[in-house]
């Protein structure tokens, strides 16, 4: 490690002004992505502004149609929260299968979304449910939030405050996980909502994306068999040491079918 300053922010305004005052500073949440990149010298921030003690970022709030999760809520708390388990069990289940116990105790939903790792799980739920990312200055729809590999619509000093999830009649997330990290080699989130079916895929391409062919098939017939009729092209999908683009394409309808089979309301 090298030297850097550390500041604990008391509220969103203090966090944003601390970052605006130092262009080399970065927000620190669970540190599960940022600290490894600092150890590897891929990032060398002058200052870390800890956002995990800001009360507004730690709240989980529910009303009849929406579940709002604060950006600094860790995965373990999403997984175990009574309202999340009751209102969006697919999201609680997704959080329960991120990484290992330490990652779930420290990693946060806001950190995961800001980092936008192409193999991360939360982006699939955010895009699959059509959620809204709420920042200190605006509301960003899921469609506009994910821009590319490790790239989002956030301005350099913009702070994610919460994520608002609309509920689903039925939803589930299935991933074919990397056995070492538990990141998604491919992950598919399926949501049946009042206005149709949404399917979002993570792990397969530079960034999370929707799959219109599967959405059409499942809107006509929300069954595992309908998902299996869809053939996915490997064009534009990732090939790396873990899997070829063809293998990832092959997995997408299989995981979608499993998700439909398990989808709960
Ligand atoms: C061994 C291991 C296994 C993992 N397995 C999985 C997995 O199976 N699935 C999965 O999805 N993820 C996995 N992860 C990632 C983990 O989920 C973390 O949540 C994620 O790395 C980032 O969250 P964090 O809170 O640690 O953010 P940090 O590392 O603290 O920050 C990440 C980035 O987000 C920025 N940031 C943080 N909070 C905010 C905010 N509120 N607003 C704006 N910017 C912010 C930071 O400045 C930084 O650039 C794994 C990580 C590890 C180390």
């Amino acid at each position: 490690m090298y030297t850097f300053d550390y500041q604990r922010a008391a509220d969103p305004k203090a966090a944003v002004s601390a970052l605006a005052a130092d262009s080399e500073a970065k927000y620190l949440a669970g540190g599960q992505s940022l600290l490894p990149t600092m150890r590897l010298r891929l990032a060398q921030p002058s200052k870390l502004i800890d956002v995990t003690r800001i009360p507004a970022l730690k709240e989980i709030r529910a009303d009849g149609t929406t579940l709002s999760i604060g950006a600094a809520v860790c995965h373990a708390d999403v997984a175990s929260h009574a309202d999340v388990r009751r209102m969006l069990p697919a999201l609680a289940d997704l959080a329960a299968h991120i990484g290992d116990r330490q990652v779930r105790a420290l990693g946060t939903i806001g950190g995961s979304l800001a980092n936008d790792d192409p193999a991360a799980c939360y982006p699939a739920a955010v895009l699959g449910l059509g959620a809204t990312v709420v920042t200190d200055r605006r509301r960003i729809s899921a469609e506009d939030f994910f821009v590319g590999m490790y790239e989002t619509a956030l301005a350099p000093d913009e702070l994610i405050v919460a994520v608002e999830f609309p509920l689903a009649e039925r939803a589930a997330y299935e991933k074919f996980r990397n056995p070492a990290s538990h990141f998604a080699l491919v992950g598919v989130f399926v949501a049946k909502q009042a206005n149709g079916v949404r399917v979002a895929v993570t792990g397969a391409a530079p960034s999370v994306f929707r799959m219109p062919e599967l959405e059409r098939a499942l809107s006509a017939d929300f069954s595992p068999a309908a998902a299996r009729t869809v053939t996915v092209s490997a064009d534009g999908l990732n090939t790396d040491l873990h899997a070829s683009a063809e293998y990832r394409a092959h997995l997408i309808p299989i995981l979608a079918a499993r998700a439909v089979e398990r989808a709960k309301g």
Side-chain angles (χ1 to χ4, degrees), residues 27 29-34 75 99 108 111-112 114 120-121 160 175 181-183:
Y27 296 128
Q32 296 301 290
S33 292
L34 183 53
H75 312 326
T108 66
S112 175
C121 300
I160 303 178
K175 70 175 162 179
S181 69
H182 298 186
F183 270 110

Side-chain angles (χ1 to χ4, degrees), residues 26-35 51 57 71 75 97-100 103 106-108 110-112 114-115 119-122 154 158-160 175 181-184:
K26 275 187 111 39
Y27 296 128
L28 173 70
Q32 296 301 290
S33 292
L34 183 53
L35 297 186
V51 300
L57 271 63
H75 312 326
H97 292 93
I98 290 177
D100 52 33
V103 170
L106 290 169
T108 66
S112 175
N115 193 51
C121 300
Y122 272 124
L154 291 172
E158 196 164 2
L159 179 73
I160 303 178
K175 70 175 162 179
S181 69
H182 298 186
F183 270 110

